[in-house]
């Protein structure tokens, strides 16, 4: 999210707020554009050119990287809109990718890991690629709808509606990831008959738990501050400037969490030598 869409101050202080956040926006947006685009294109290339089953197993990661490329473009248009106000409509349209697209695909990845650990029979039943395609198609329809709603709300300058729009979604996505995290943690603590000697299965469960844990921590750092900002604005009409700055830094940096996890899993760690 950009400072212009998260600007909850009064009209008298709009210019000063834009100036104070302008440098931060430009710096973070540049990082997202210069480092985010190559990273996500690299992940997409690895998935597409990998083994035949690789596309199916990493299909959610593929769609998440496509969504993150849209987020990088949002950062670009958001930065350019500081000088060219007409580009703001494109930035407003792409904002829905960050509000809905990113956390939605992250939740799909976590739910997939949750099913693999807690409900393995169900996971095997819905493992074929066609089911992932159905889920991602529904996710993209929801995301595109969110983009259109964001653009409409921001064109109408309805700050209160925009605040409720992203706050409620962030609460929902955070709850889903926390549910998956707790369920997988409980499954790891409960060892079934003869499972104590099955080191490989235990390793897979621990790996799924750490993946969900890292994703949950990332989404917590991104969205909890935004939720606090939104609720404070709705209740007190006050904008927490320092918390916004922290939130926006986390928002940009969190775009690198999932690709790094995928590269780690694939054994492709840029700038590091694999032993």
């Amino acid at each position: 999210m950009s400072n212009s869409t998260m600007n909850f101050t009064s009209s008298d202080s709009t210019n000063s707020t834009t100036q104070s956040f302008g440098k931060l926006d430009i710096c973070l947006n540049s990082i997202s554009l210069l480092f985010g685009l190559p990273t996500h294109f690299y992940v997409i290339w690895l998935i597409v050119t990998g083994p035949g089953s690789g596309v199916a197993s990493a299909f959610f990661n593929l769609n998440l990287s496509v969504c993150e490329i849209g987020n990088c473009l949002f950062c670009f248009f958001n930065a350019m809109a500081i000088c060219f106000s007409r580009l703001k409509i494109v930035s407003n349209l792409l904002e829905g990718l960050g509000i809905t697209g990113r956390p939605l695909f992250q939740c799909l990845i976590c739910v997939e890991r949750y099913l693999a650990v807690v409900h393995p029979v169900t996971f095997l039943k819905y493992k074929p690629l066609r089911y992932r395609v159905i889920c991602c198609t529904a996710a993209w329809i929801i995301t595109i709808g969110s983009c259109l709603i964001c653009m409409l709300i921001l064109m109408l300058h309805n700050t209160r509606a925009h605040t409720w729009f992203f706050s409620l979604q962030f609460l929902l996505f955070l709850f889903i990831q926390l549910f998956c995290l707790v369920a997988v943690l409980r499954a790891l603590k409960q060892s079934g008959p003869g499972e104590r000697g099955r080191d490989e299965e235990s390793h897979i469960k621990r790996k799924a738990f750490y993946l969900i844990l890292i994703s949950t921590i990332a989404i917590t750092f991104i969205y909890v501050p935004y939720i606090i900002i939104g609720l404070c604005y709705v209740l007190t009409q006050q904008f927490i400037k320092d918390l916004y700055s922290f939130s926006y830094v986390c928002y940009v940096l969190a775009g690198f969490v999932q690709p790094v996890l995928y590269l780690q899993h694939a054994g492709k760690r840029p700038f590091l030598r694999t032993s």
Side-chain angles (χ1 to χ4, degrees), residues 17 25 39 51 76 84 93 97 102 105 138 189 227 240 243:
T17 303
D25 279 340
T39 301
F76 170 74
F84 306 99
L93 179 65
L97 296 174
R102 174 193 284 180
F105 286 112
K189 290 184 176 180
I227 293 171
I240 308 175
L243 186 57

Side-chain angles (χ1 to χ4, degrees), residues 145-197:
S146 174
C147 291
L148 296 174
I149 293 174
C150 278
M151 183 181 66
L152 178 61
I153 291 176
L154 294 173
M155 286 178 62
L156 296 175
H157 303 287
N158 193 336
T159 306
R160 183 176 293 274
H162 181 260
T163 302
W164 281 111
F165 182 69
F166 73 77
S167 297
L168 292 178
Q169 287 193 73
F170 292 168
L171 280 171
L172 175 62
F173 292 132
L174 182 61
F175 172 79
I176 293 173
Q177 293 217 27
L178 288 176
F179 172 81
C180 294
L181 177 68
V182 173
V184 172
L185 180 60
R186 291 182 59 185
L188 289 174
K189 290 184 176 180
Q190 298 174 355
S191 58
E195 190 175 331
R196 295 183 181 274

Side-chain angles (χ1 to χ4, degrees), residues 28-66:
L28 293 174
N29 293 342
S30 299
I31 292 174
S32 177
L33 189 64
L34 295 176
F35 296 97
L37 281 178
T39 301
H40 293 295
F41 274 118
Y42 181 52
V43 170
I44 292 174
W45 181 80
L46 287 176
I47 295 175
V48 173
T49 59
S53 59
V55 176
S57 60
F59 194 69
F60 291 147
N61 292 90
L62 174 66
N63 282 267
L64 177 60
S65 289
V66 173

